[in-house]
Every structure is written in structure tokens, then in C-alpha cells.
Amino acid sequence: MGKREELIAQYADDLKNKCGMTPDMDLLTKVTIGCGPAIYNADASTVAGSQPAELETVKNNFLIKKLGLSDSPQLMEAINSVIETYGKSERNKYRAVIYYMLTKHFGKESVYS
């Protein structure tokens, strides 16, 4: 098992055990690959849920640029809802898991097909 497969297994475990979701492994794999080399960097692979600048980056670079959504208050509400689901106290909020949940939230799975 390669490093990426190990990380995907870790993300799937987080989705099951911390978020109470059954992950779509095909989509999770595509979202993880879409994160690029960031998944291998300890700092870049996680999202600091309590830092407004970090949440703006998720909104602008992922929701608007990647998923093609229009800027609106709903975007930040969705990010906050996903972080709430993951658990505010959870120290390692993996970027791929958050992106996966946001993709599902907005029904944008087609971006990865």
C-alpha cells in the first residue's frame, strides 16, 4: 500500500468514525488526488478551522475556483457546518475530508467525474 492509499484509508476512517458518514471511496480518492502534493505536507494537509483566513482560502480556492460556485453567505455556512460535523475540537481536520464533505454538501460530485 502506497502513501496515498494509506492517507485515503485514514480519511475514510475519519469520515466513518468522526463524521458519521459512509464514504464514497471513488469520490474520496478523486478528491484526495485533486488536493495534489498538499496531502503529504503536515501543515497543508489540514485545515485550521478556527482561522478565518484559512476558511476564506477554502472558500475561494476550493468552492469558487474548483467547484465553480458563486460567492454567497451559504459558502461560509457550509464550511462552518462541515467543520462542526468534523468536530471543532478535532485537532487534525484533513483538507481532503473537508473538501469531500463540501463536494457532497453542494452535490458537485460531477466535478470529479
Side-chain angles (χ1 to χ4, degrees), residues 4-15:
R4 184 167 70 201
E5 287 77 22
E6 287 173 25
L7 289 168
I8 291 168
Q10 167 73 55
Y11 303 154
D13 185 64
D14 271 19
L15 281 163

Side-chain angles (χ1 to χ4, degrees), residues 54-91:
E54 176 85 353
L55 301 181
E56 277 296 318
T57 301
V58 169
K59 182 178 88 169
N60 293 324
N61 293 355
F62 184 69
L63 295 179
I64 296 172
K65 288 182 185 161
K66 178 74 179 168
L67 297 186
L69 298 168
S70 303
D71 195 359
S72 73
Q74 281 94 338
L75 300 188
M76 206 45 91
E77 286 168 20
I79 292 169
N80 288 325
S81 155
V82 160
I83 286 175
E84 195 69 44
T85 301
Y86 209 145
K88 282 190 185 290
S89 62
E90 182 56 43
R91 211 169 146 261

